[in-house]
Amino acid sequence: MNIRSAKLTTALTLLALSFGAFASTYDGECTNQPQSKWMSPADVKAKFETQGYSVGKVKTGGSCYEVYAKDKNGKKVELFVNPVDASVVGRAGKK
């Protein structure tokens, strides 16, 4: 293996590991309410942006919304949110 291919392999490995850090890790239930009572993803995004987050996307994951954002310090966060009231019930890697 030459140096160029070794560098490429290392770079690809590091890239794959960084994506794995944000894999969904919350296995709890956020709500038992029907989706008709859920806030819209746009409203959840707006709520977190008023709290100082820079929100990339909000997606549905089971009975939760997953909010992918950066906090006030620019640190990436993944929040697991009750879709009825937008309360945070978990964070990536934490319960």
Side-chain angles (χ1 to χ4, degrees), residues 16-33:
L17 290 173
S18 68
F19 283 121
F22 276 94
S24 296
T25 56
Y26 188 74
D27 59 0
E29 185 173 318
C30 293
T31 186
N32 59 5
Q33 295 294 314

Side-chain angles (χ1 to χ4, degrees), residues 1-13:
M1 181 185 296
N2 64 34
I3 293 176
R4 184 175 180 193
S5 62
K7 287 182 179 180
L8 179 60
T9 301
T10 301
L12 291 174
T13 301

Side-chain angles (χ1 to χ4, degrees), residues 44-60:
V44 171
K45 180 178 180 177
K47 179 175 180 178
F48 280 93
E49 287 178 341
T50 62
Q51 295 175 11
Y53 289 92
S54 173
V55 179
K57 67 179 175 177
V58 177
K59 72 176 199 173
T60 304

Side-chain angles (χ1 to χ4, degrees), residues 54-72:
S54 173
V55 179
K57 67 179 175 177
V58 177
K59 72 176 199 173
T60 304
S63 66
C64 302
Y65 277 145
E66 297 175 19
V67 177
Y68 296 87
K70 289 184 181 179
D71 65 15
K72 295 174 186 176

